[in-house]
Structure formats: C-alpha cells, structure tokens
Amino acid sequence: MELYGLTIHELQDRLRAGETTSAEITASVFGRIDAVEKEVRSYITLMRETAMIEAQAADVKIRKGDIGILTGIPIALKDLLCTKGVLTTCGSRILQNFIPPYDATVVEKLREAGAVFTGKTNMDEFAMGSSTETSFFGVTRNPWDLERIPGGSSGGSAAAVAADECIASIGSDTGGSIRQPAALCGVVGMKPTYGRVSRFGLIAFASSLDQIGPFTKDVEDCAIMMNVLAGYDPKESTSVPEDVPDYRQFLNKGIGGWTVGIPKEYFIDGIDPEVEAAVRRAIRVVEEAGAKCIEISLPHTEYCLAVYYIVAPAEACSNLARYDGVKYGFRSEEGRDLMEMYKKTRAAGFGAEVKRRIMIGTYALSSGYYDAYYKKASQVRALIKRDFDEAFTRCDVILTPTTPTPAFKVGERTDDPMQMYLSDIFTISTNLAGVPGISVPCGFTTAGLPVGVQFLAGHFQEGRLIQFASAYEKQAHIEQRRPKL
Ligand code: GLN
C-alpha cells in the first residue's frame, strides 16, 4: 500500500517508528493528486508549496520526539474555512478573490496539532446543494464512478478522502453536507452536536444549523480528528463549554446490551432497494454485536424538509446580505451608482441556487409572512427536537440510512430542485434537532457504488457514536475496496 492510501493512525505509527517522514507522506499525497485530480477535481486551491514546508517542519519536530495528534498528516479543508493568506471562495464567484486575513479556529487547532494542509476543497456554492454541482469552480466527480456526483455540499472533501488525495479532510454540515457525501463516497463522516466545534472563521450559511466535522477513512481516524476539533471557543458564542473526552477511549469497546432505535419513518417508499438491503444488513450486524434493535417513531419526520427549507434560506438570506461588492470579493464594474453596483454585483456574483435560497428566505421573513412561515417552522422544529429527546429515552442510538439512493449521475437532478432537496431527507432532522450524527460505509450496490448507514445519538454523545460506529465497523467486515482511478 502506498503511503497516501493509509489512515492517520497507520501513518502515525510509521512516523513514530521512524519508518517514514512527513515529507515522504506529503510527496506521496501530491503524487496521487497529480495522478487523479484531473479526473476527480476535488480541490479549488492546492497548497503544495506550503504543505512541503509544513511537512519538513513536522519532520524536525518528530526527530525531536515532539509529536502532536496530527503531526505531519496531510489534511484538506473545505473552501468555506477561512485560511490566512489563502484564497477562500465558498465555491462562489462573489468570493473568487477573497483572501482572509485570519484563520478559522478549526484551522488554528489543526495547525497546532501538527497538520499539513494540502489545499481547499470544492463545494456547492455557499454550501447550498447536495451534489457539488453548484460550485462556480466546476463539478467534482465521484471517485467510484466519474459520471456520478460525489454528494454535497462538501463533495470535494469527501472525494479527496475517497480518492486518497489527502489522509482526512474537514467539511461542514447544515442539512447533511458531511454525512451525505461521506455515504456516497464510501468514507466516514461526522456531524458533531451543534455547539461542539467552533465555527469561528466558517463562512456562514444557516447559523442555527451549521456544524464543522471530519471526513476520514475509518472510525479511529474520526475519533482522532474529533479530539482536535471539539471544544469551547471564546470567539464563538454558540460553542459550548462542555468537557471534551478523549474520543479514542471509545474505540473497540463493544456495544453488548445497547438498545438501537430504528425509526419507522425512515424506511419509506422511494428508498433504493439496494440501499435498504445494505442498511437492513447493518441492523443484523449490530444485533450480532450484541445490541437490541427496537422500532421507534419520530412522528414529525415528514415535516423536516419543509421546516429546513424555510429556516435555512431565511438565515442564509440574512447571512448573505453582507456580500455587496464593497469590502471584499467580486464587484461588478457596471453600476452607475451605489445601488446599481450592489444589484449588479449580487446578480453576477451569486449562482442560481443561491439566488433561489435568498428569494425563499426573503419571502419567508417578509412582513405579514413571518408568522406563517418562519415562526411556524420554528415551532415545528421544536417538535422535531422533542421527537429525538423522547426517542433517546428509549434507545442509546438511532440507526437509519444516510441517503435514500446511491450517488446519482452528474446533471441528473440539476433541473429539479425538489429531487435534489430529497437527497437530504434522512440527514436534515439531525441538524434541526442539533444532535450529532455519523455516516459509516455499510456496503456496495451491485454497480459498485458505496452505501452509508447513519447513527445518531443525543446531544454531546459523540463518544457514544464513536463507540457504536467502531463496534459496527469491526463486526461488519465491509470489503476493503478502493475506487479504481
Ligand atoms: N443539501 C442541503 C442544502 O442544500 C444541505 C447542505 C448543507 O448541509 N450544507 O441546503
């Protein structure tokens, strides 16, 4: 196995034993990028030169015995995390030339842990989408089938891990943007509890829903990444001062006697039969591992999509008001006065999906409609959260499919927003309730496309999710295939 194909923990073992260097690992990853990036197109910006410098600095540290959690490990960042001095576009023309003057807190934390940054990954514009097709910088392809989408909005981060163009990566998840692409690319992806990871320096989409989390090749690497990412940040008012456990302590512990809730509302018409079969196999696997599965109900599930598509656009339209061409980003040169400059900048700077969300959000918040839409949606959201609180009095974790179908073809859903929105039918409720979720590979379709299973737990129970996912991964023996690129 080439170095680029290994996990964080395997590479750390080799680095500690002096069997390889970060410079070798980083060169191996960039060699892989050179070989496959033309086809996959995971990245908007590559950081090759600084990565090589960071790798050499890591090697000096390692020789001194000063090894941090991620020292010398190549990590990719979704292009909505501010990186000091490095282009940060959010997949949008309106930020096509934006170079932030500061690092996001998670970038700082990764840097302190010793990570080597490979680059900034492609994404749906402003994280609005499920396929990475709305990016101003072109479409990312699914490494398992280049005619298909990698999922979204963090499609570049998921594809980069699946194609071995980095060892792990960071994404963000507002309605499924980590878990859905993780499932479609056959990697592990976690959305932590709302408040668990600081969003300082994350370009906001919908502030009451956005969370940052990792993409990794296995559950152990997810625990390692969460050890770096989680924690209170005085710069971020919604981050919670809750203790962060060592997530590695939850690995390899077993789940004998656990109760697993299977929500009946998540096995619906329209779910692909091969996806359903793979998830039903996952249910048997956790039973073999000693867990007891019970049917539960999350009765307000049918309203999740409607609530999300009021709350998220409403918050987005206010977050996106700041892009007016004045202080940073793209500016249209055509305006004759200030008002016209604003209008032309926004008309040319935002793509169709972003404009659609701004219009929906503006409508939902407008006077006379606020009570009927935003307020109503917030009330139903409280009921959705209550469904989860009640469910977790009966079970330790919930198990569902991550997505209703495997990866679809590029272009297949671009003209049908409703079909696109349905891609997130099983992931959106988690964000509305604020609870954590993880998607783990659970098999392949006959066409060789990966399928993911989703596990959910109560607020701040990421450790429980890692314990469950680790036990599942061990018991399931999912075939260790790699995409043929
Ligand atoms: N696909 C969903 C949307 O378009 C979720 C995106 C996300 O989680 N960022 O809003």
Side-chain angles (χ1 to χ4, degrees):
M1 176 73 90
E2 301 285 342
L3 290 171
Y4 61 68
L6 300 178
T7 60
I8 300 175
H9 55 94
E10 287 164 342
L11 289 168
Q12 277 181 327
D13 290 345
R14 295 195 186 197
L15 285 168
R16 278 171 210 277
E19 289 165 14
T20 187
T21 63
S22 175
E24 280 170 4
I25 296 167
T26 306
S28 166
V29 166
F30 277 97
R32 176 69 173 170
I33 290 172
D34 289 338
V36 304
E37 176 62 5
K38 276 196 306 297
E39 289 178 313
V40 184
R41 303 180 58 131
S42 304
Y43 287 94
I44 293 175
T45 303
L46 285 170
M47 295 162 70
R48 189 185 303 258
E49 275 172 33
T50 46
M52 289 316 294
I53 295 167
E54 286 162 4
Q56 278 154 9
D59 286 329
V60 171
K61 284 197 163 173
I62 293 166
R63 278 198 295 276
K64 289 193 199 140
D66 175 11
I67 306 192
I69 307 181
L70 289 176
T71 301
I73 306 293
I75 304 285
L77 302 168
K78 186 175 182 179
D79 207 21
L80 46 41
L81 293 166
C82 285
T83 39
K84 188 175 176 178
V86 179
L87 185 68
T88 299
T89 68
C90 221
S92 183
R93 183 180 188 199
I94 211 153
L95 288 175
Q96 65 176 354
N97 55 2
F98 174 54
I99 299 186
Y102 66 99
D103 275 333
T105 293
V106 294
V107 174
E108 242 170 37
K109 285 186 166 203
L110 290 161
R111 207 186 283 290
E112 273 163 28
V116 168
F117 295 123
T118 51
K120 308 291 296 286
T121 57
N122 197 17
M123 55 182 283
D124 280 299
E125 186 178 7
F126 282 97
M128 297 171 189
S130 310
S131 64
T132 317
E133 290 170 295
T134 70
S135 171
F136 177 64
F137 299 89
V139 180
T140 297
R141 302 280 168 160
N142 190 311
W144 295 92
D145 177 348
L146 296 167
E147 286 183 12
R148 291 175 190 269
I149 56 94
S153 64
S154 315
S157 290
V161 173
D164 295 317
E165 295 183 274
C166 61
I167 307 303
S169 66
I170 305 290
S172 67
D173 189 313
T174 305
S177 279
I178 293 175
R179 291 158 290 153
Q180 185 257 21
L184 303 190
C185 288
V187 299
V188 174
M190 176 181 267
K191 181 201 91 76
T193 308
Y194 186 76
R196 179 79 293 188
V197 176
S198 166
R199 290 124 14 113
F200 178 77
L202 168 82
I203 296 177
F205 163 11
S207 304
S208 76
L209 301 161
D210 299 339
Q211 255 297 292
I212 295 171
F215 288 96
T216 56
K217 295 178 191 175
D218 67 8
V219 176
E220 182 166 351
D221 278 5
C222 178
I224 294 172
M225 293 292 279
M226 283 303 296
N227 278 352
V228 177
L229 299 175
Y232 173 67
D233 176 8
K235 289 191 234 162
E236 212 268 79
S237 61
T238 63
S239 77
V240 175
E242 180 95 9
D243 283 347
V244 182
D246 174 0
Y247 291 109
R248 285 181 98 153
Q249 82 192 30
F250 296 97
L251 298 164
N252 307 317
K253 278 183 119 172
I255 50 169
W258 285 38
T259 305
V260 182
I262 314 291
K264 60 174 189 239
E265 293 82 2
Y266 282 62
F267 291 84
I268 46 168
D269 283 350
I271 174 166
D272 179 277
E274 288 196 273
V275 170
E276 177 160 358
V279 175
R280 298 239 179 244
R281 270 199 307 280
I283 294 175
R284 288 197 294 278
V285 168
V286 299
E287 282 173 341
E288 279 159 30
K292 190 173 119 211
C293 293
I294 58 166
E295 185 180 275
I296 59 160
S297 173
L298 296 166
H300 296 91
T301 298
E302 63 175 304
Y303 305 112
C304 287
L305 210 57
V307 168
Y308 175 87
Y309 278 100
I310 293 170
V311 172
E315 294 180 10
C317 86
S318 103
N319 276 325
L320 269 54
R322 73 190 70 170
Y323 304 104
D324 56 10
V326 174
K327 284 211 180 100
Y328 43 76
F330 166 79
R331 173 189 296 182
S332 167
E333 299 300 335
E334 285 168 31
R336 278 165 305 179
D337 55 31
L338 184 64
M339 215 47 183
E340 216 180 272
M341 189 281 282
Y342 287 159
K343 284 186 189 159
K344 297 216 180 231
T345 294
R346 288 170 69 84
F350 291 132
E353 184 59 32
V354 174
K355 285 179 188 156
R356 182 177 298 129
R357 307 285 178 110
I358 292 173
M359 286 190 280
I360 298 172
T362 307
Y363 183 80
L365 291 177
S366 55
S367 94
Y369 292 105
Y370 177 87
D371 283 357
Y373 292 102
Y374 193 79
K375 194 167 157 214
K376 191 61 135 201
S378 303
Q379 287 165 335
V380 181
R381 182 178 182 178
L383 298 176
I384 292 165
K385 180 170 175 294
R386 205 178 65 193
D387 285 354
F388 278 94
D389 292 343
E390 278 171 12
F392 288 124
T393 63
R394 296 186 57 209
C395 60
D396 300 295
V397 293
I398 292 174
L399 183 157
T400 81
T402 310
T403 61
T405 66
F408 45 93
K409 291 235 168 90
V410 171
E412 198 179 307
R413 298 191 187 174
T414 36
D415 295 331
D416 189 346
M418 204 47 208
Q419 276 305 313
M420 192 67 91
Y421 298 171
L422 281 167
S423 317
D424 303 301
I425 187 99
F426 300 141
T427 46
I428 271 176
S429 56
T430 321
N431 302 73
L432 292 169
V435 296
I438 188 169
S439 178
V440 180
C442 71
F444 294 89
T445 65
T446 42
L449 297 171
V451 180
V453 60
Q454 173 174 247
F455 308 135
L456 309 174
H459 293 94
F460 297 98
Q461 299 292 323
E462 285 82 1
R464 186 176 287 190
L465 282 185
I466 285 169
Q467 182 166 342
F468 192 78
S470 155
Y472 168 75
E473 187 183 52
K474 234 194 182 137
Q475 184 81 26
H477 302 294
I478 301 299
E479 197 191 330
Q480 288 301 314
R481 283 190 220 174
R482 303 299 299 157
K484 291 184 197 72
L485 283 163

